[in-house]
Amino acid sequence: MSEPAPPDTQTAAESEFADIQVDAPRVGIIMGSKSDMEEMEKAGKVLEEYRVRYEIRVMSAHRDPEMVADYCKNARMRGLRVIIAGAGLSAALPGVAAAHTELPVIGVPLSSRLSAAGGLDAILSVVQMPPGVPVAAVGLDNARNAAHLAARILGC
Ligand code: RP5
């Protein structure tokens, strides 16, 4: 006969830990400005259709560089598995995120009222990453596709 399972303390602690992991967001949606929110929220809506947990944060690679670094360095440990990063103009956020995490980063180039080139500036900023620091890029103002790609990366 096997011994009865040890009760209580350890079992309770294990299930509490399991709950934290189960509830953790899997996708982090970040963007360079509040003005990007209207487009980037669409990624969240798509992730809801896949029942993928996510969080949305505003943090600028230029205005809040330390916040971006801390967020990306801690992302995997917090349970995130993909980062979606949207930015316009000199759209550094996706690349800076990729510099601080080994998680897959999906960049969303955004058009902006101040764009000198109708969003092409942001597209080139997102796409032209140096070898070894990859950023996957979706089309201009296409946050929805970033979410579909994140779902595929997660095997949904
Ligand atoms: C970028 O500059 C942001 O991602 C945004 O798309 C653009 C304009 O930012 P705001 O001036 O609206 O804050 O960094």
Side-chain angles (χ1 to χ4, degrees):
M1 293 283 285
S2 57
E3 293 285 316
D8 311 336
T9 320
Q10 190 173 0
T11 310
E14 278 171 1
S15 42
E16 187 181 333
F17 184 66
D19 285 348
I20 289 170
Q21 289 233 315
V22 164
D23 290 344
R26 289 296 188 242
V27 177
I29 300 173
I30 59 178
M31 68 205 80
S33 170
K34 270 188 189 169
S35 63
D36 301 326
M37 185 64 83
E38 184 178 348
E39 178 59 33
M40 296 307 293
E41 276 179 338
K42 296 174 187 172
K45 296 278 179 260
V46 170
L47 291 173
E48 286 169 22
E49 291 167 16
Y50 286 102
R51 299 183 184 280
V52 171
R53 290 176 301 282
Y54 66 94
E55 62 185 13
I56 295 196
R57 304 277 166 81
V58 175
M59 58 185 79
S60 164
H62 299 113
R63 294 164 175 156
D64 320 297
E66 288 174 15
M67 186 190 302
V68 174
D70 288 346
Y71 181 85
C72 295
K73 284 177 186 170
N74 293 322
R76 182 187 290 277
M77 180 264 295
R78 293 182 51 241
L80 295 174
R81 292 295 171 261
V82 180
I83 291 177
I84 294 173
L89 302 179
S90 177
L93 185 61
V96 170
H100 289 294
T101 181
E102 291 179 354
L103 293 177
V105 175
I106 305 170
V108 184
L110 298 172
S111 55
S112 162
R113 65 196 179 349
L114 295 177
S115 172
L120 184 60
D121 39 10
I123 291 172
L124 294 176
S125 297
V126 172
V127 169
Q128 293 286 40
M129 289 297 293
V133 192
V135 169
V138 294
L140 185 67
D141 296 329
N142 201 337
R144 279 178 280 217
N145 252 8
H148 287 296
L149 180 55
R152 290 186 178 197
I153 291 169
L154 292 168
C156 300

